[in-house]
């Protein structure tokens, strides 16, 4: 019986890992630029997560409002939202502890960079009379929060199909140790801040 010779197959080249253009710019331009300042590559601040949050004051009067808000937030972010509840009762606002009052999404990794790209290249340019984001909305940990007054700045939302105009808050969490370092990182990534008045 003739012996079958095994032939070696050429190793397949490793598939190039896809990076969103914001992430690619961070890796190829921003990290090398900031490495000298921070001493080593691992010390350079980076994005950790983006939290998108919408509060619903009318949910106690209109249960459809919550369903619509969750659906819209899912379309905007590309991820299934989590329904939030009130942590304590506030009688003046007729809010009971445990009552559903909003929805939020936490984005990480690839989807986080995709959403960041959408904010700077699509959503913010569609805001009427936009002159830049405030430089003062950082907390002491270097996290940055800003808001949109309406969901219509995102292309996934059609004016004809919305139940009502509602806003949302966006928090960008970084590894920066203070607001100055976080501002520098977000500025380098392309988040449009107001020009400093000198």
């Amino acid at each position: 019986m003739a012996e079958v010779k095994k032939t070696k197959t050429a190793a397949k080249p490793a598939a190039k890992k896809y990076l969103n253009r914001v992430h690619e710019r961070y890796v190829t331009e921003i990290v090398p630029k900031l490495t000298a300042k921070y001493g080593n590559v691992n010390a350079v601040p980076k994005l950790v997560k983006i939290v998108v949050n919408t509060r619903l004051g009318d949910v106690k009067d209109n249960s459809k409002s919550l369903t619509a808000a969750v659906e819209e937030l899912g379309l905007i972010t590309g991820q299934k939202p989590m329904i939030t509840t009130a942590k304590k009762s506030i009688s003046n606002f007729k809010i009971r502890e445990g009552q559903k009052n909003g929805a939020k999404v936490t984005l990480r990794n690839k989807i986080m960079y995709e959403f960041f790209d959408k904010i700077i290249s699509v959503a913010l340019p569609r805001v009427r009379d936009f002159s830049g984001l405030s430089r003062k909305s950082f907390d002491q940990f270097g996290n940055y929060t800003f808001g949109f007054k309406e969901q219509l700045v995102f292309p996934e939302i059609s004016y004809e199909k919305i139940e009502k105009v509602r806003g949302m808050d966006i928090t960008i969490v970084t590894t920066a140790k203070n607001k100055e370092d976080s501002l520098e990182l977000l500025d380098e990534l392309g988040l449009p801040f107001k020009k400093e008045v000198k």
Side-chain angles (χ1 to χ4, degrees), residues 77-124:
T77 61
Q79 189 169 297
K80 187 178 178 182
M82 181 181 108
I83 293 170
T84 57
T85 56
K87 291 181 181 176
K88 60 181 180 180
S89 299
I90 305 170
S91 58
N92 291 354
F93 296 105
K94 297 179 181 176
I95 294 172
R96 297 186 317 275
E97 185 181 344
Q99 180 180 323
K100 293 174 182 176
N101 66 353
K104 77 170 183 176
V105 171
T106 302
L107 307 171
R108 299 176 192 272
N109 304 318
K110 181 183 169 185
I111 198 166
M112 169 187 71
Y113 281 104
E114 293 285 356
F115 186 70
F116 188 93
D117 195 1
K118 190 193 295 185
I119 289 171
I120 61 175
S121 58
V122 180
L124 286 173

Side-chain angles (χ1 to χ4, degrees), residues 13 16 35 49 53 80 89 101 105 109 112 115 120 125 139 145 152 157 175 178 189-190 197:
K16 188 181 176 187
T35 298
K49 63 183 177 181
N53 181 40
K80 187 178 178 182
S89 299
N101 66 353
V105 171
N109 304 318
M112 169 187 71
F115 186 70
I120 61 175
D139 64 16
T145 302
L152 294 165
I157 306 301
T175 59
N178 54 58
L189 285 169
V197 179

Side-chain angles (χ1 to χ4, degrees), residues 88-174:
K88 60 181 180 180
S89 299
I90 305 170
S91 58
N92 291 354
F93 296 105
K94 297 179 181 176
I95 294 172
R96 297 186 317 275
E97 185 181 344
Q99 180 180 323
K100 293 174 182 176
N101 66 353
K104 77 170 183 176
V105 171
T106 302
L107 307 171
R108 299 176 192 272
N109 304 318
K110 181 183 169 185
I111 198 166
M112 169 187 71
Y113 281 104
E114 293 285 356
F115 186 70
F116 188 93
D117 195 1
K118 190 193 295 185
I119 289 171
I120 61 175
S121 58
V122 180
L124 286 173
R126 293 175 77 173
V127 174
R128 191 178 300 151
D129 302 325
F130 180 69
S131 60
L133 295 170
S134 169
R135 293 171 173 264
K136 298 177 182 177
S137 301
F138 290 90
D139 64 16
Q140 68 267 36
F141 306 109
N143 303 319
Y144 184 72
T145 302
F146 65 99
F148 287 107
K149 290 181 179 175
E150 52 184 46
Q151 73 275 47
L152 294 165
V153 294
F154 292 95
E156 296 86 354
I157 306 301
S158 167
Y159 184 79
E160 290 77 31
K161 294 180 181 177
I162 63 167
E163 182 228 357
K164 68 174 285 188
V165 173
R166 58 173 61 86
M168 66 189 71
D169 292 321
I170 294 169
T171 300
I172 301 173
V173 179
T174 73

